[in-house]
Amino acid sequence: MARSVLCRGVSVVQLSRWTPLLSAPRCYSQSEPEPLTLRQQNHGIRRIILNNPKKRNALSLSMLETLRENILTDVDSEDLRVIIISAKGPVFSSGHDLKELTSARGREYHMKVFQTCSEVMALIQDIPVPVIAMVNGVATAAGCQLVASCDIAVATEKSTFATPGVNVGLFCSTPAVAIGRAVPRKVAMEMLLTGTPISAHDALLHGLISKVVSEDRLEEETMGIAQRVCQSSRPVVALGKATFQRQMAQGRDAAYATASKVMVDNLALRDGQEGIQAFIEKRKAMWSHKPENVHD
């Protein structure tokens, strides 16, 4: 009897539709454990899918390390334009695996967990391509932190968001870093101090997510955003994303100084001048997607 085999979570029949990301895809038989994440890429869009629904897609150390690898693989390639992070099952992510946070693991292991998590969250904001969270379910604690760290977040109407650590004796201090920068301070403090979930519509109202859609439109809406990103110049998007993050941490005057210099730098890019010429000549821009300057 033939066995069903998965290659990085994509059936062999489907595999030819996706750009290979490794020299040879690793295959898993049904008798082997599935990978913690699935990674697929097509037409500039990389899909990273949290794939441990039995454990509520907990951000264990192994999950975080795998997620980091999935994000960093060929991150500077011109073929990569945007990343979408989603999850299998009814829980986007329940946050850290509490079984890894018992005293038996020790302080050194605990530090490694939180340092790796912080590195992944910062990485999402520091890489040159936009990262979109596609949420269809519950996102709690570090799972909510993951959503808050993404550049854009699209969620279904049934999705909820919470930082319930305080209720189990572990205040969500690291999730607070991302959430406190995404929502108003008093909203963040209510979430952190009570652990009470907020609805997708409240999350939208407070700025934690970008858009709320029905479940049957989640894929279409998210892919639509990703495809629109792919229509722009990669170095222009990369410059804009990096500048936005930098100026948001500055005071007003310093932010204007930073942004003004970057606007001039943007004009020096080959794609910056191509876009302007295309507009003047009323034609479609032909992006090079290369970070090259045409003048000093």
Side-chain angles (χ1 to χ4, degrees):
M1 182 181 294
R3 292 187 306 167
S4 173
V5 177
L6 297 180
C7 297
R8 298 299 298 181
V10 184
S11 71
V12 174
V13 174
Q14 294 173 320
L15 192 61
S16 62
R17 297 195 302 116
W18 299 100
T19 302
L21 297 176
L22 302 174
S23 56
R26 182 179 174 189
C27 296
Y28 302 84
S29 72
Q30 287 184 331
S31 62
E32 296 176 327
E34 288 196 32
L36 291 173
T37 64
L38 307 176
R39 188 174 76 236
Q40 309 163 346
Q41 186 167 323
N42 195 27
H43 300 303
I45 302 171
R46 179 175 299 175
R47 303 285 300 271
I48 301 174
I49 304 168
L50 307 184
N51 187 44
N52 196 11
K54 291 181 179 178
K55 291 193 175 182
R56 298 165 61 85
N57 293 311
L59 296 180
S60 62
L61 181 58
S62 295
M63 176 72 90
L64 288 165
E65 290 173 340
T66 304
L67 184 57
R68 177 175 59 191
E69 177 191 350
N70 289 168
I71 293 170
L72 282 175
T73 298
D74 295 328
V75 72
D76 292 320
S77 169
E78 292 175 14
D79 294 331
L80 177 62
R81 311 292 298 287
V82 63
I83 294 173
I84 298 173
I85 299 176
S86 60
K88 280 193 173 183
V91 178
F92 177 78
S93 176
S94 59
H96 291 293
D97 185 347
L98 294 183
K99 291 181 180 179
E100 292 188 338
L101 304 182
T102 62
S103 296
R105 291 284 191 169
R107 185 178 184 87
E108 185 176 339
Y109 186 88
H110 295 163
M111 283 299 300
K112 186 175 182 181
V113 169
F114 290 108
Q115 286 173 351
T116 303
C117 184
S118 297
E119 180 183 335
V120 170
M121 302 301 167
L123 188 63
I124 287 170
Q125 298 185 338
D126 291 345
I127 61 172
V129 298
V131 181
I132 305 172
M134 187 171 82
V135 185
N136 185 28
V138 178
T140 61
C144 187
Q145 178 185 3
L146 179 57
V147 175
S149 298
C150 290
D151 300 301
I152 300 169
V154 183
T156 57
E157 295 165 325
K158 72 176 187 180
S159 298
T160 59
F161 305 85
T163 50
V166 68
N167 298 325
V168 296
L170 182 64
F171 199 87
C172 287
S173 293
T174 45
V177 175
I179 294 166
R181 285 164 170 74
V183 306
R185 182 174 299 188
K186 287 181 172 58
V187 174
M189 287 303 291
E190 182 177 351
M191 291 178 68
L192 293 162
L193 293 169
T194 68
T196 304
I198 63 172
S199 68
H201 286 288
D202 282 344
L204 176 65
L205 176 67
H206 298 310
L208 182 61
I209 61 176
S210 316
K211 184 176 289 190
V212 179
V213 298
S214 59
E215 189 170 359
D216 62 343
R217 290 187 55 81
L218 178 62
E219 181 88 11
E220 179 185 349
E221 290 287 341
T222 307
M223 288 299 292
I225 294 170
Q227 288 162 357
R228 286 193 290 277
V229 170
C230 289
Q231 292 172 5
S232 299
S233 161
R234 189 183 197 275
V236 170
V237 169
L239 183 62
K241 174 177 173 175
T243 305
F244 180 82
Q245 296 291 350
R246 192 183 322 141
Q247 62 88 14
M248 285 297 289
Q250 298 175 326
R252 183 196 63 187
D253 293 347
Y256 270 122
T258 294
S260 296
K261 179 182 181 302
V262 171
M263 292 288 285
V264 174
D265 292 341
N266 194 157
L267 286 171
L269 284 173
R270 180 177 302 280
D271 281 354
Q273 287 301 308
E274 165 61 17
I276 291 173
Q277 285 301 121
F279 180 83
I280 292 171
E281 296 168 9
K282 296 181 172 57
R283 59 174 175 82
K284 184 178 180 180
M286 301 296 291
W287 307 123
S288 70
H289 299 298
K290 298 183 182 299
E292 299 173 348
N293 286 357
V294 292
H295 64 255
D296 295 330

